[in-house]
Amino acid sequence: MRTTRVTVAALAVATALALSACGSETAKNTGSVTQITGQKKAGSATVLDRPFDKPELVLTDTTGKPWNLREQTKGRPTLIYFGYTNCPDVCPLTMSNIAVAKKALPKADQDKLQVVFVTTDPERDTPDSLGAWLRAQDPSFTGLTGDFATIQAAARSLGIGIEAPKKEADGTVVSMHGAQVIAFSPKTDEGYVLYGEGTTVDDYTKDLPKIIKGENP
């Protein structure tokens, strides 16, 4: 297996500056976003040379209670994704792929894995609506909503650009957001692996056993 190094500029363009409108091909620069460096392996995983610190993020979960990201994922393998429930394509596909791959794990490993979906459209994604949407994917997934500025700052600290939802001319509300999944190690609680929009069920199925152990995929 051949490993090639990806420059800061290349990864910044591929991740932080490329936003998905979940059906739109528009891409915009969202301003100050943490730059990413890493080594791109064959397959879909980018192992980061400089892992991300886990954001100090307290939002509201689908039961309406405060949920502290650092405290409640400490020492657990964790996948984090920023998206919204009205997305017609990328978001449901990403969460479905993870859900299918998770079910292929032994039960003990399924119980260890924490999957966190943070909405980029908090005005429409209430705790109730977010909870209903996630239960259709996997009832164990954690959904978080809250103040948009807080969510945007947390995403940017992970190299993921998002913009406030905007209404299009046809009345459709679109949320621009980066489509990356960040994996956090149970050993260090750092975000050390990045997955892009094209990651498949097979990719996650192959990598999750290693992610759960805090190993490089």
Side-chain angles (χ1 to χ4, degrees):
M1 184 176 294
R2 183 179 180 183
T3 300
T4 57
R5 182 169 297 278
V6 179
T7 66
V8 172
L11 268 174
V13 170
T15 57
L17 304 185
L19 304 189
S20 170
C22 289
S24 168
E25 295 181 356
T26 304
K28 298 180 181 179
N29 187 335
T30 61
S32 178
V33 181
T34 301
Q35 290 187 326
I36 301 169
T37 59
Q39 292 183 328
K40 184 69 176 179
K41 300 185 69 174
S44 62
T46 299
V47 179
L48 304 177
D49 288 340
R50 296 181 181 179
F52 291 115
D53 290 332
K54 191 173 289 181
E56 293 184 2
L57 182 63
V58 179
L59 293 171
T60 302
D61 68 13
T62 55
T63 69
K65 297 179 180 179
W67 205 89
N68 187 307
L69 178 66
R70 283 192 173 181
E71 290 183 2
Q72 294 180 251
T73 62
K74 185 176 181 180
R76 295 187 63 179
T78 302
L79 302 181
I80 294 180
Y81 181 78
F82 292 80
Y84 68 118
T85 64
N86 285 282
C87 171
D89 40 38
V90 178
C91 300
L93 178 60
T94 298
M95 300 310 290
S96 176
N97 286 347
I98 294 172
V100 172
K102 178 175 173 282
K103 289 177 182 177
L105 294 168
K107 181 62 167 60
D109 285 347
Q110 290 186 42
D111 292 342
K112 292 176 184 176
L113 183 65
Q114 183 85 46
V115 180
V116 180
F117 181 94
V118 184
T119 182
T120 60
D121 186 10
E123 184 172 337
R124 290 189 295 170
D125 284 344
T126 65
D128 286 344
S129 64
L130 183 55
W133 188 82
L134 283 174
R135 282 193 294 275
Q137 301 284 350
D138 187 312
S140 72
F141 286 179
T142 296
L144 300 178
T145 187
D147 176 67
F148 178 80
T150 301
I151 293 169
Q152 184 180 53
R156 285 179 169 179
S157 75
L158 297 174
I160 299 172
I162 67 174
E163 293 182 354
K166 295 180 180 179
K167 183 175 288 188
E168 301 292 302
D170 63 359
T172 302
V173 178
V174 176
S175 176
M176 301 288 291
H177 64 89
Q180 297 80 39
V181 174
I182 305 290
F184 287 80
S185 168
K187 295 179 179 178
T188 64
D189 281 320
E190 293 179 323
Y192 74 114
V193 180
L194 180 148
Y195 292 96
E197 181 178 329
T199 306
T200 67
V201 171
D202 289 343
D203 293 328
Y204 284 120
T205 300
K206 175 177 65 70
D207 288 359
L208 284 183
K210 295 180 180 179
I211 295 295
I212 287 169
K213 296 176 182 177
E215 299 174 352
N216 288 352

